[in-house]
Amino acid sequence: MEPNTRSTGRLPAAFLTPGSSSFMDFLGAHSPEMLPGNRKLPEGVVEAPHGTTIVAATFPGGVVLAGDRRATMGNMIAQRDIEKVFPADEYSAVGIAGTAGLAVEMVKLFQLELEHFEKVEGTTLSLEGKANRLSTMIRSNLGMAMQGLAVVPLFAGYDEAKEKGRIFSYDVTGGRSEEHGYAATGSGSIFARGSMKKLFRPDLTEEQATTLVVQALYDAADDDSATGGPDLYRHIYPIVTVITDEGFRRLTDEESQELARTVTNRRLEQPDGPRAALL
Amino acid sequence: MSTPFYVSPQQAMADRAEYARKGIARGRSLVVLQYADGIVFVGENPSRALHKFSEIYDRIGFAAAGKYNEYENLRIGGVRYADLRGYTYDRDDVTARGLANVYAQTLGTIFSSAGEKPYEVELVVAEVGTTAAGDQIYRLPHDGSIVDEHGSVAVGGNAEQISTFLDQRHQDGMTLSEALKLAVQALSSQANGADKAIPAERLEVAVLDRTRSQQRKFKRIRGRQLSRLLEADVTAAVQADAVSNDEAPEDDAE
């Protein structure tokens, strides 16, 4: 494991060899055992905490990415306040469903991959380039996914060239597809997607888009036992992030509390949430 | 078979040092100064793309004078070192002191190994602290020694003269605009007393700003923000304006 960087000795030759701008490529060449995909797989199936529902929606000028706070292991709640939505860099974010431990590690490596490229090249990757990089990382996890340790992220970002928010969803094999308007991943995604299908409009404001994703998370928690709704007693609220041309912003605790309370209060009157017109 | 000439170790080292110093002196000088909110890097650089200053890690910046391909090589080595270390342990475990040590060992080994030509570079590794007292600036000459600097430092061809100029005028707690103007003045003053003006578009400026909300404190200053800081009158009102405009999003895009 020791990458020999702790000693005060000279930088190893690999560090000074001109090569690619990818941190993963460097790690693969210098200390391959540190790459998650290169680990030896044990026999059998492992049970570990799973993250559940992530939702995203675009609005003119940006994109919203949000996630509930529950991690489950079988029928048990493993953690009530897990964080599953992370900034990937200044203009993109990633939300993770699936095996929590591996997913968090994948996000850490993905963040580093983008930052490393930026520092070495002096410029950022295109949004498409970032999405493809994430694809490669998921694909390298396929062996683990076969044993039940799948990681399925949702990637959202502001495309500076196209001047709009974009969403990419993935399957366990690393298959990538761009989603238009809204998307969801994880166990509660079926319900969240149904909810957003009825509420989404292409001309939402930023505030409406953040309300939309919280409504969708509420509906997912309503019907999926693995998804956690807003926990008003413990003050645990969904994580909501907004990415626009001004960059990544995570709603403060007060803002997401306000949002979750408004949605919850309205559900006291209408438990099934806002109604869409029949025709 | 011919017998090789005997060269005394002192002579060999002196020759190598002179070779490296001459190479460094061919490049333009640059300065690194502490100011109230962090550390500013200023240099004359006609290129927009080939940088003399860059980010190594969250709070750590890098500046170099000398031969571009050699310091670029060291810079990328440093980025790899920092990223690997941060990935293995934690982001807080990456320090300027650790990085400076690795650079010193690397430069020192190259300098004293007979098979390699010495690097013609002089580096500065700087880390911004949460307060001015926590700022660290290390200067690394071509031979692998380390000098722990405070306040201001100059490297490159004209470094001694510029250092003296800065030592006399630099004060703790200067504003960014004041520090920047002092740096430009130092870089444009020449030995014969005649000053040559450096236009803003030939300046490369970057800061490690401890007041930035992001984890990564390194930021390039260019365009409108740079001209604003260079023009800003040293009155409180204008300074406040310059500081509040620091975070303007259009300048933040890296």
Side-chain angles (χ1 to χ4, degrees):
Chain A
M1 272 303 280
E2 177 52 53
N4 190 26
T5 52
R6 197 170 49 189
S7 78
T8 51
R10 174 182 180 169
L11 282 170
F15 284 63
L16 298 174
T17 311
S20 102
S21 312
S22 162
F23 182 72
M24 279 161 65
D25 290 356
F26 167 68
L27 207 56
H30 181 252
S31 30
E33 74 288 347
M34 288 186 73
L35 273 183
N38 287 348
R39 277 185 212 127
K40 279 218 180 94
L41 297 180
E43 292 285 317
V45 172
V46 187
E47 201 172 308
H50 273 61
T52 43
T53 310
I54 304 292
V55 293
T58 56
F59 61 92
V63 60
V64 176
L65 185 71
D68 74 311
R69 305 293 295 271
R70 183 173 287 180
T72 53
M73 199 158 80
N75 64 334
M76 300 278 282
I77 294 174
Q79 200 183 338
R80 291 178 198 282
D81 63 348
I82 189 175
E83 300 202 356
K84 296 184 276 189
V85 180
F86 304 92
D89 65 359
E90 192 87 23
Y91 289 101
S92 63
V94 56
I96 43 151
T99 313
L102 295 177
V104 170
E105 186 186 19
M106 190 181 284
V107 168
K108 197 175 156 192
L109 191 54
F110 183 56
Q111 288 169 327
L112 195 54
E113 175 78 4
L114 301 186
E115 185 187 324
H116 189 82
F117 183 94
E118 188 184 328
K119 288 190 289 197
V120 171
E121 296 275 322
T123 176
T124 54
L125 275 170
S126 65
L127 193 68
E128 204 90 27
K130 295 176 202 172
N132 284 338
R133 211 65 198 128
L134 190 53
S135 220
T136 315
M137 296 178 67
I138 299 165
R139 201 166 293 132
S140 73
N141 192 50
L142 187 58
M144 302 246 229
M146 302 281 279
Q147 299 187 346
L149 300 176
V151 177
V152 194
L154 200 58
F155 178 65
Y158 182 79
D159 191 326
E160 288 173 280
K162 295 195 165 145
E163 298 185 345
K164 62 172 187 176
R166 297 171 74 187
I167 306 169
F168 296 90
S169 68
Y170 297 86
D171 61 37
V172 282
T173 63
R176 187 206 89 171
S177 53
E178 181 167 3
E179 305 274 352
H180 298 281
Y182 56 89
T185 185
S187 65
S189 62
I190 316 152
F191 309 109
R193 203 176 294 131
S195 172
M196 287 191 287
K197 191 175 185 174
K198 295 297 171 219
L199 298 177
F200 179 81
R201 292 193 316 274
D203 60 346
L204 296 172
T205 64
E206 184 183 317
E207 290 70 30
Q208 286 171 326
T210 52
T211 312
L212 172 88
V213 291
V214 174
Q215 291 281 14
L217 285 174
Y218 191 102
D219 282 323
D222 208 18
D223 286 312
D224 171 37
S225 61
T227 305
D231 191 339
L232 302 179
Y233 305 107
R234 295 189 181 81
H235 299 282
I236 301 170
Y237 306 100
I239 291 177
V240 184
T241 64
V242 184
I243 309 150
T244 62
D245 58 356
E246 289 186 20
F248 173 92
R249 185 173 80 90
R250 178 178 157 167
L251 261 56
T252 62
D253 288 348
E254 290 72 36
E255 285 171 314
S256 55
Q257 172 177 355
E258 173 69 25
L259 211 51
R261 279 193 185 274
T262 314
V263 168
T264 316
N265 286 340
R266 295 286 288 141
R267 296 272 172 147
L268 288 174
E269 299 151 26
Q270 266 183 14
D272 291 342
R275 300 194 195 257
L278 198 54
L279 271 176
Chain B
M1 208 177 100
S2 62
T3 321
F5 287 112
Y6 172 76
V7 183
S8 74
Q10 287 96 323
Q11 188 56 47
M13 285 302 162
D15 287 351
R16 293 171 75 84
E18 196 195 333
Y19 169 80
R21 266 200 299 269
K22 272 190 177 161
I24 297 163
R26 272 195 292 273
R28 293 187 176 87
S29 309
L30 56 90
V31 297
V32 181
L33 311 180
Q34 279 181 281
Y35 70 100
D37 291 331
I39 297 168
V40 59
F41 302 81
V42 188
E44 186 185 355
N45 185 358
S47 168
R48 298 283 89 191
L50 308 174
H51 297 302
K52 288 171 178 290
F53 314 130
S54 77
E55 172 190 7
I56 297 283
Y57 212 61
D58 297 349
R59 315 185 72 92
I60 305 173
F62 171 97
K67 214 164 175 239
Y68 179 80
N69 71 318
E70 292 178 348
Y71 69 69
E72 176 68 3
N73 201 13
L74 287 168
R75 180 183 78 87
I76 289 174
V79 170
R80 287 172 176 167
Y81 162 86
D83 280 348
L84 181 56
R85 200 177 160 97
Y87 182 64
T88 312
Y89 306 110
D90 184 77
R91 293 193 84 94
D92 285 346
D93 295 317
V94 183
T95 59
R97 200 187 60 85
L99 183 68
N101 271 329
V102 171
Y103 277 146
Q105 292 297 336
T106 306
L107 284 170
T109 317
I110 293 169
F111 183 74
S112 42
S113 94
E116 272 176 283
K117 108 179 172 50
Y119 270 21
E120 299 157 64
V121 295
E122 189 162 12
L123 313 181
V124 175
V125 172
E127 176 176 345
V128 69
T130 45
T131 61
D135 290 350
Q136 294 170 44
I137 303 177
Y138 300 100
R139 183 168 62 88
L140 294 135
H142 55 85
D143 61 358
S145 45
I146 302 189
V147 192
D148 184 2
E149 303 272 6
H150 295 279
S152 64
V153 53
V155 295
N158 223 1
E160 257 175 61
Q161 187 205 335
I162 297 173
S163 289
T164 321
F165 182 92
L166 285 174
D167 285 344
Q168 289 162 355
R169 292 167 181 82
H170 181 268
Q171 289 157 357
D172 289 341
M174 294 175 103
T175 65
L176 178 55
S177 172
E178 286 167 349
L180 184 56
K181 280 190 271 190
L182 174 63
V184 175
Q185 211 185 340
L187 289 171
S188 15
S189 68
Q190 292 190 339
N192 56 13
D195 288 1
K196 61 170 170 96
I198 307 175
E201 55 273 17
R202 287 177 72 90
L203 278 180
E204 182 181 349
V205 179
V207 289
L208 286 166
D209 180 352
R210 71 176 116 256
T211 62
R212 256 169 90 81
S213 55
Q214 289 95 328
Q215 195 172 24
R216 295 161 68 184
K217 308 295 180 194
F218 184 87
K219 182 180 168 222
R220 290 190 194 283
I221 295 185
R222 46 190 159 201
R224 280 192 295 127
Q225 192 186 7
L226 179 57
S227 8
R228 205 160 53 220
L229 284 168
L230 284 170
E231 281 161 20
D233 226 326
V234 197
T235 63
V238 181
Q239 277 173 41
D241 178 52
V243 171
S244 69
N245 282 321
D246 260 9
E247 290 294 320
E250 80 271 16
D251 295 320
D252 254 352
E254 254 308 299

